[in-house]
Amino acid sequence: MFTWYVGLLAVSGFAMIAMANVNNGQSELSRGLNAVFGVVYLGYAGYLMFVFEGGSYLIFFQAFILPVLLAVDFARRTDWQALTTRPTPTQQAFRAYWKEQDRLAKRSGRG
């Protein structure tokens, strides 16, 4: 159970840091909270894994409510259309070329 708890803390920390690094329309405060809590979660996971020498410890599953709330806020504020792939200039030129070819073919009666 201990290793699962430490693993979940580490995964939550990495996820929050990743969300902080994406500029998707979140406020600076939201990105800052993601970064700070991500570092805290990773630090605590590192402490438990490498420094903690045993004994008794408490598992706070309530600690995983915060990463879920921050992930929901991240998804809600994300401008998904801005993150979608846009055609490259070469792809745009290729599409324009074929549109022009279709237009010329229809104009000459071949299409």
Side-chain angles (χ1 to χ4, degrees), residues 34-94:
N34 271 323
V36 168
F37 283 115
V39 169
V40 168
Y41 275 53
L42 272 177
Y44 187 52
Y47 165 76
L48 288 175
M49 194 65 178
F50 301 111
V51 178
F52 183 69
E53 294 183 2
S56 64
Y57 61 93
L58 295 175
I59 295 178
F60 295 104
F61 285 109
Q62 297 88 347
F64 298 109
I65 294 171
L66 179 64
V68 170
L69 291 176
L70 291 174
V72 167
D73 180 60
F74 174 82
R76 188 176 53 86
R77 292 179 188 263
T78 299
D79 182 9
W80 294 104
Q81 287 183 340
L83 295 177
T84 57
T85 305
R86 291 193 171 84
T88 64
T90 305
Q91 291 169 328
Q92 291 172 348
F94 183 76

Side-chain angles (χ1 to χ4, degrees), residues 16-39 70 73-74 77:
M16 286 188 279
I17 290 172
M19 289 185 291
N21 285 319
V22 176
N23 188 9
N24 64 340
Q26 291 185 63
S27 67
E28 291 298 317
L29 176 65
S30 185
R31 291 178 70 194
L33 286 174
N34 271 323
V36 168
F37 283 115
V39 169
L70 291 174
D73 180 60
F74 174 82
R77 292 179 188 263

